[in-house]
Structure formats: C-alpha cells, structure tokens
Amino acid sequence: MYNIAEILIKLKNVEKIEISFKWNLITTDPDDNKFVDCAIAGRVKYVVTNDKHFSILKNVSFPKVDVISIDDFMEELKNLL
C-alpha cells in the first residue's frame, strides 16, 4: 500500500511546513484548525473548501486567511488555461 503523504512530500513543488503556532480560529470544528494553521504558516493565497466551518474566517482580520469554494477555484483554474 502507498503512503500518499510520503509520495507528496517527494514532489519538487511540495514543501513540508512545520506548524509553530496554533491559532484555533475555528471553534465550531476544532479539527479544521490544522488546515488553517498550515495555510497561515505556508502563507498561501487562499484555502479551497466547501466546508461551512471555514466561513468564520471571513470575520477574522488577523491573521487573514481567504477562503474560496471549490467551484470558484475550478473557475480560476479554467481562466489560467
């Protein structure tokens, strides 16, 4: 069986980011915070999700984490082609 994480980390365009601070911005589903913390540490442009728990991030000014839906992300990808 393959370990997807091991395969991904070996890709040239993937960087492993260690989380040094836990922001705990999502209180309704604390398990989602690992994705937000990773996004902040990795200084990503946005998080792509349809998970309603992430909508709370629209009201957080610092640290700013933009969230877009999967449909919006797919549209953005189409515009790149």
Side-chain angles (χ1 to χ4, degrees):
M1 182 171 336
Y2 295 103
N3 183 328
I4 300 300
E6 287 178 14
I7 293 170
L8 289 174
I9 201 69
K10 291 179 182 177
L11 295 173
K12 292 179 183 177
N13 63 339
V14 173
E15 179 182 351
K16 184 177 179 183
I17 301 291
E18 295 293 332
I19 304 302
S20 58
F21 187 83
K22 295 183 180 184
W23 292 91
N24 296 316
L25 298 176
I26 300 177
T27 57
T28 53
D29 188 359
D31 192 50
D32 288 342
N33 282 310
K34 62 185 170 229
F35 303 110
V36 178
D37 294 342
C38 185
I40 294 167
R43 291 179 250 142
V44 301
K45 183 175 180 179
Y46 43 70
V47 174
V48 180
T49 185
N50 285 342
D51 186 331
K52 65 181 189 260
H53 298 121
F54 285 76
S55 63
I56 190 71
L57 299 176
K58 294 177 185 173
N59 302 322
V60 176
S61 60
F62 181 83
K64 187 67 179 154
V65 180
D66 292 321
V67 178
I68 66 170
S69 70
I70 294 170
D71 289 338
D72 289 344
F73 180 69
M74 293 304 293
E75 191 63 34
E76 196 166 310
L77 287 178
K78 287 179 192 174
N79 290 335
L80 292 175
L81 299 177

